[in-house]
Coordinates of all heavy atoms in Angstrom, one line a residue:
R56 N 96.2 127.3 100.0 CA 95.1 127.4 99.1 C 94.7 126.0 98.6 O 93.5 125.7 98.4 CB 95.5 128.3 97.9 CG 95.6 129.7 98.2 CD 95.5 130.6 96.9 NE 96.4 130.2 95.9 CZ 97.7 130.7 95.8 NH1 98.1 131.6 96.6 NH2 98.4 130.3 94.8
F57 N 95.6 125.2 98.3 CA 95.3 123.8 97.8 C 94.6 123.0 98.9 O 93.6 122.4 98.6 CB 96.6 123.0 97.4 CG 96.3 121.6 97.0 CD1 96.0 121.4 95.7 CD2 96.5 120.6 97.9 CE1 95.7 120.1 95.2 CE2 96.2 119.3 97.4 CZ 95.9 119.0 96.1
S58 N 95.0 123.1 100.1 CA 94.3 122.4 101.2 C 92.9 122.9 101.4 O 92.0 122.1 101.6 CB 95.1 122.6 102.5 OG 94.5 121.9 103.6
E59 N 92.7 124.2 101.3 CA 91.4 124.8 101.4 C 90.5 124.3 100.3 O 89.3 124.0 100.5 CB 91.4 126.3 101.5 CG 92.1 126.9 102.8 CD 92.3 128.4 102.7 OE1 92.2 128.9 101.6 OE2 92.6 129.0 103.7
F60 N 91.0 124.2 99.1 CA 90.3 123.8 97.9 C 89.8 122.3 98.1 O 88.7 122.0 97.9 CB 91.1 124.0 96.7 CG 90.4 123.4 95.5 CD1 89.3 123.9 94.9 CD2 91.0 122.2 94.9 CE1 88.7 123.4 93.8 CE2 90.4 121.6 93.8 CZ 89.2 122.2 93.2
T61 N 90.8 121.5 98.5 CA 90.4 120.0 98.6 C 89.5 119.8 99.8 O 88.6 118.9 99.7 CB 91.7 119.2 98.8 OG1 92.5 119.7 99.9 CG2 92.6 119.2 97.5
D62 N 89.6 120.6 100.9 CA 88.7 120.5 102.0 C 87.3 120.8 101.6 O 86.3 120.2 102.0 CB 89.2 121.4 103.1 CG 90.3 120.9 103.9 OD1 90.7 119.7 103.7 OD2 90.9 121.6 104.7
S63 N 87.2 121.8 100.7 CA 85.8 122.3 100.3 C 85.2 121.1 99.4 O 84.0 120.9 99.5 CB 85.9 123.5 99.4 OG 86.6 123.3 98.2
I64 N 86.0 120.4 98.7 CA 85.4 119.3 97.9 C 85.0 118.1 98.8 O 84.0 117.5 98.6 CB 86.5 118.8 96.9 CG1 86.7 119.9 95.8 CG2 86.0 117.5 96.2 CD1 87.8 119.5 94.8
M65 N 85.9 117.8 99.8 CA 85.6 116.7 100.7 C 84.4 116.9 101.6 O 83.8 116.0 102.1 CB 86.9 116.4 101.5 CG 88.0 115.9 100.7 SD 89.5 115.7 101.7 CE 89.0 114.4 102.8
N66 N 84.1 118.2 101.8 CA 82.9 118.5 102.7 C 81.6 118.5 101.9 O 80.6 118.9 102.5 CB 83.2 119.9 103.4 CG 84.3 119.8 104.4 OD1 84.5 118.7 105.0 ND2 85.0 120.9 104.6
V67 N 81.6 118.2 100.7 CA 80.3 118.2 99.9 C 79.5 117.0 100.4 O 80.0 115.9 100.7 CB 80.6 118.0 98.4 CG1 79.4 117.7 97.6 CG2 81.4 119.2 97.9
E68 N 78.2 117.2 100.5 CA 77.3 116.2 100.9 C 77.4 114.9 100.0 O 77.5 115.0 98.8 CB 75.8 116.6 100.9 CG 75.5 117.7 101.9 CD 75.5 117.1 103.3 OE1 75.2 115.9 103.5 OE2 75.8 117.9 104.3
P69 N 77.4 113.7 100.6 CA 77.5 112.5 99.9 C 76.5 112.4 98.7 O 76.8 111.9 97.6 CB 77.3 111.4 100.9 CG 77.7 112.0 102.2 CD 77.3 113.4 102.1
S70 N 75.3 112.8 99.0 CA 74.2 112.8 97.9 C 74.6 113.6 96.7 O 74.2 113.3 95.6 CB 72.9 113.2 98.5 OG 73.0 114.5 99.0
V71 N 75.3 114.7 97.0 CA 75.8 115.6 95.9 C 77.1 115.0 95.2 O 77.2 115.0 94.0 CB 76.0 117.0 96.4 CG1 76.6 117.9 95.2 CG2 74.7 117.6 96.9
A72 N 78.0 114.5 96.1 CA 79.3 114.1 95.6 C 79.1 112.9 94.6 O 79.9 112.8 93.7 CB 80.1 113.6 96.8
K73 N 78.2 112.0 94.8 CA 78.0 110.9 93.9 C 77.7 111.3 92.5 O 77.8 110.4 91.6 CB 77.0 109.9 94.5 CG 75.6 110.4 94.5 CD 74.6 109.3 95.1 CE 73.2 109.7 95.1 NZ 72.3 108.7 95.7
K74 N 77.2 112.5 92.3 CA 76.9 113.0 91.0 C 78.1 113.3 90.2 O 78.1 113.5 89.0 CB 75.9 114.1 91.0 CG 74.6 113.9 91.7 CD 73.7 115.1 91.8 CE 72.4 114.8 92.5 NZ 71.6 116.1 92.6
Y75 N 79.2 113.6 90.9 CA 80.5 114.0 90.3 C 81.4 112.8 90.0 O 82.0 112.3 90.9 CB 81.2 115.1 91.1 CG 80.4 116.4 91.2 CD1 79.5 116.6 92.2 CD2 80.7 117.3 90.2 CE1 78.8 117.8 92.2 CE2 80.0 118.5 90.2 CZ 79.1 118.8 91.2 OH 78.4 120.0 91.3
V76 N 81.3 112.3 88.8 CA 82.1 111.1 88.5 C 82.9 111.4 87.2 O 82.6 112.4 86.5 CB 81.2 109.9 88.2 CG1 80.5 109.5 89.5 CG2 80.2 110.2 87.1
L77 N 84.0 110.6 87.0 CA 84.8 110.7 85.8 C 85.0 109.3 85.3 O 84.9 108.3 86.0 CB 86.2 111.3 86.2 CG 86.2 112.8 86.5 CD1 87.6 113.2 87.0 CD2 85.9 113.6 85.2
P78 N 85.4 109.2 84.0 CA 85.8 107.9 83.5 C 87.0 107.4 84.3 O 87.7 108.1 84.9 CB 86.2 108.3 82.0 CG 85.5 109.5 81.7 CD 85.4 110.3 83.0
K79 N 87.1 106.1 84.3 CA 88.1 105.4 85.2 C 89.5 105.9 84.9 O 90.2 106.2 85.9 CB 88.0 103.9 84.9 CG 89.0 103.1 85.9 CD 88.9 101.6 85.6 CE 89.8 100.9 86.5 NZ 89.7 99.4 86.4
R80 N 89.9 106.1 83.7 CA 91.2 106.5 83.4 C 91.5 107.9 83.9 O 92.6 108.2 84.4 CB 91.5 106.4 81.9 CG 91.6 105.0 81.3 CD 92.1 105.0 79.9 NE 93.5 105.5 79.8 CZ 94.6 104.7 80.1 NH1 94.4 103.5 80.5 NH2 95.8 105.2 80.0
E81 N 90.5 108.8 83.8 CA 90.7 110.2 84.3 C 90.7 110.2 85.8 O 91.5 111.0 86.4 CB 89.5 111.0 83.8 CG 89.6 111.3 82.3 CD 88.5 112.3 81.8 OE1 88.3 113.3 82.5 OE2 87.9 112.0 80.7
M82 N 90.0 109.3 86.5 CA 90.1 109.2 87.9 C 91.5 108.7 88.3 O 92.1 109.2 89.3 CB 89.1 108.2 88.5 CG 87.6 108.8 88.5 SD 87.4 110.3 89.5 CE 87.8 109.6 91.1
L83 N 92.1 107.8 87.6 CA 93.4 107.3 87.9 C 94.4 108.4 87.6 O 95.4 108.6 88.4 CB 93.7 106.1 87.0 CG 93.0 104.8 87.4 CD1 93.2 103.7 86.4 CD2 93.4 104.3 88.8
Q84 N 94.3 109.2 86.6 CA 95.2 110.3 86.3 C 95.1 111.3 87.4 O 96.2 111.9 87.9 CB 94.8 111.0 85.0 CG 95.1 110.1 83.8 CD 94.4 110.6 82.5 OE1 93.6 111.6 82.5 NE2 94.8 110.0 81.4
L85 N 93.9 111.6 87.9 CA 93.7 112.6 89.0 C 94.4 112.0 90.3 O 95.1 112.8 91.0 CB 92.2 112.8 89.3 CG 91.9 113.8 90.3 CD1 92.3 115.2 89.9 CD2 90.4 113.8 90.6

Side-chain angles (χ1 to χ4, degrees):
R56 289 202 306 269
F57 178 83
S58 180
E59 290 172 348
F60 172 71
T61 54
D62 284 347
S63 67
I64 293 177
M65 293 176 65
N66 290 329
V67 172
E68 290 292 328
S70 59
V71 177
K73 68 181 182 181
K74 298 178 182 178
Y75 291 92
V76 294
L77 284 172
K79 184 177 179 180
R80 291 191 64 83
E81 292 185 40
M82 285 300 297
L83 289 171
Q84 290 167 353
L85 185 64

